[in-house]
Amino acid sequence: MKKQISLWLIAAVALLAACNSNQNKTPEAGKYSVTEKSFGVFENQDVTQYTITNPSGMQVSIINYGGTVTSILTPDKDKKMGDVILGFDSLAGYLQKGNPYFGCLVGRYGNRIAKGKFTLEKQNYQLTVNDHGNTLHGGLKGLDKVVWKASKPSGDSSLKLTYTSKDGDQGFPGNLEVEVTYTVTSDNALEISYSATTDKPTPVNLTNHCYFNLSGGKEATILDHELMINADKFTAVDSLLIPTGLLPDVKGTPMDFTSSKKIGKDLDSVKGGYDHNWVLNRKGNTLEQIATVYDAGSGRVLEVFTTEPGLQFYTGNFLDGTLHGKNNWVYAQHAALCLETQHFPDGPNQTSFPNTILRPGEKYSHVTRYKFSTK
Ligand code: BGC
């Protein structure tokens, strides 16, 4: 009898251990895996951190609070892994007031809508405003500040996040069903695939807000990173970063990144630093490479591909050294750069800009790929 009980006990312990290791299995070299761990609680909902590892060891961690990418580990030219995005160690970091949208999903409307107002089908809408009287990144409580439902598609290479933004959320019309899938590909890319449907016409402009520093913590700023953006024009803005409607040529100006140049080269001649939307040179909406970043120190290269017509290039101008991030990093001004693939800012009020209104029966879709390599 005693022997039987102990055998049962051993079996139960083994089963428990197996379940546990399934929850938190250590990545096996040469294979895909998705592990998960608790990351806290927000508004009575569990926040989980999912880590996707690809066969060559690239690792991307994502939490379902804000669909936030919390780390991206990629190799440098000496095959040393390093984290190439800014972020925090704990949920408290992401919840703090000054979190400048580190790594999160942005919506319903990325970037600014002037005075938070627009008119659609003869009806006036007023959104919540959060940036000098304008609406930035979806308003006071955008898609970056909610808990998404997460699921793991088969194949262990992706994480699917869904969220329903209710009719009237932040002032936007229509129930918006949003789905975002993060996939880590075998060639070291993080691919983000967005889709959305609505039951009333409504503006939609989704993006991701990763702050990249390819040095992996070695360089305090990205001023020595080299950048190419395939764009001949940008959207001119007023002092509150609202588009004027003009699309000036970049040629011969500090905005010209058509050939790769150091970000710091002309930065001082751009008031406040780079925080503009480039009008990408492209036809149609196929996935095309539109930007390349290179950090000579680490040898890391980031190539950006998108189906979107615009790219917000932001040089972390509002970072001021007060935020302390993961690994005890201090985030000084220009500690990182954002490359937010998107439709143009203030689209709902600018008739000459590409359409941003999604209607019932239509499907919003957008794919962006951030591909890492070394040279
Ligand atoms: C905007 C900046 C803003 C930042 C928020 C960027 O997308 O263009 O103006 O300050 O997001 O951290």
Side-chain angles (χ1 to χ4, degrees):
M1 183 67 176
K2 228 178 172 180
K3 198 172 167 194
Q4 222 169 17
I5 290 175
S6 34
L7 276 177
W8 273 111
L9 214 69
I10 291 168
V13 169
L15 193 71
L16 256 170
C19 289
N20 219 7
S21 73
N22 210 16
Q23 279 270 310
N24 236 332
K25 53 188 175 188
T26 12
E28 216 176 298
K31 279 199 169 171
Y32 268 114
S33 70
V34 184
T35 58
E36 52 186 275
K37 74 170 197 205
S38 171
F39 205 70
V41 174
F42 176 69
E43 294 180 344
N44 295 322
Q45 297 165 89
D46 286 334
V47 177
T48 303
Q49 184 177 55
Y50 299 86
T51 299
I52 307 171
T53 307
N54 80 354
S56 47
M58 175 180 168
Q59 271 194 344
V60 177
S61 295
I62 300 149
I63 54 173
N64 57 333
Y65 172 76
T68 303
V69 184
T70 55
S71 70
I72 301 181
L73 297 178
T74 70
D76 67 7
K77 60 183 175 199
D78 301 320
K79 301 200 165 35
K80 270 202 156 153
M81 299 302 272
D83 192 347
V84 295
I85 60 165
L86 272 46
F88 301 106
D89 286 320
S90 69
L91 185 59
Y94 289 97
L95 296 179
Q96 68 187 296
K97 211 161 171 268
N99 170 13
Y101 298 87
F102 280 163
C104 61
L105 292 175
V106 171
R108 292 185 185 192
Y109 199 97
N111 214 279
R112 291 169 176 81
I113 295 182
K115 300 191 167 65
K117 289 184 196 298
F118 61 91
T119 305
L120 199 50
E121 317 225 302
K122 299 201 179 94
Q123 202 162 326
N124 297 329
Y125 290 95
Q126 177 66 62
L127 307 172
T128 59
V129 292
N130 56 346
D131 188 70
H132 307 283
N134 300 311
T135 299
L136 174 66
H137 296 333
L140 280 175
K141 191 173 181 181
L143 301 184
D144 59 298
K145 295 182 182 65
V146 299
V147 177
W148 294 60
K149 192 163 167 261
S151 61
K152 296 186 280 184
S154 62
D156 276 353
S157 61
S158 55
L159 182 74
K160 183 167 127 183
L161 297 167
T162 55
Y163 185 75
T164 304
S165 168
K166 293 268 165 61
D167 189 8
D169 185 9
Q170 306 310 302
F172 286 102
N175 290 295
L176 190 75
E177 303 283 347
V178 192
E179 187 178 304
V180 176
T181 302
Y182 284 107
T183 302
V184 182
T185 66
S186 56
D187 61 348
N188 283 5
L190 172 63
E191 185 168 292
I192 315 175
S193 161
Y194 307 77
S195 68
T197 54
T198 181
D199 56 7
K200 282 184 191 166
T202 192
V204 183
N205 188 28
L206 306 175
T207 191
N208 173 275
H209 214 293
C210 275
Y211 282 69
F212 298 100
N213 181 325
L214 298 185
S215 75
K218 295 222 167 76
E219 291 161 35
T221 75
I222 44 72
L223 299 180
D224 281 341
H225 283 35
E226 290 163 38
L227 172 68
M228 182 285 292
I229 303 177
N230 184 14
D232 291 335
K233 290 175 184 300
F234 70 102
T235 49
V237 285
D238 68 14
S239 61
L240 291 180
L241 301 174
I242 299 293
T244 59
L246 299 175
L247 304 179
D249 287 337
V250 297
K251 211 173 171 47
T253 79
M255 309 301 276
D256 191 351
F257 284 92
T258 49
S259 314
S260 192
K261 72 172 177 196
K262 281 198 176 171
I263 292 171
K265 182 168 180 273
D266 299 323
L267 183 122
D268 287 345
S269 26
V270 180
K271 205 166 167 255
Y274 293 106
D275 191 358
H276 298 78
N277 171 69
W278 269 254
V279 178
L280 299 172
N281 290 339
R282 53 173 308 143
K283 293 176 211 85
N285 58 357
T286 53
L287 191 67
E288 279 180 50
Q289 185 176 349
I290 49 87
T292 308
V293 190
Y294 172 56
D295 168 43
S298 66
R300 286 194 184 88
V301 178
L302 165 61
E303 292 163 288
V304 185
F305 300 73
T306 192
T307 55
E308 288 294 278
L311 178 76
Q312 186 81 15
F313 164 48
Y314 170 58
T315 40
N317 312 323
F318 299 114
L319 298 175
D320 59 5
T322 51
L323 285 176
H324 292 232
K326 52 191 173 184
N327 311 317
N328 294 321
W329 290 343
V330 175
Y331 297 140
Q333 192 180 39
H334 311 311
L337 65 121
C338 299
L339 295 168
E340 304 153 61
T341 52
Q342 58 180 17
H343 270 58
F344 304 172
D346 202 28
N349 295 309
Q350 300 274 350
T351 45
S352 62
F353 286 0
N355 172 53
T356 52
I357 306 301
L358 179 72
R359 294 174 187 280
E362 295 176 348
K363 190 166 182 177
Y364 168 95
S365 65
H366 157 189
V367 179
T368 288
R369 185 182 294 172
Y370 296 103
K371 184 176 183 303
F372 298 90
S373 58
T374 55
K375 69 173 187 191

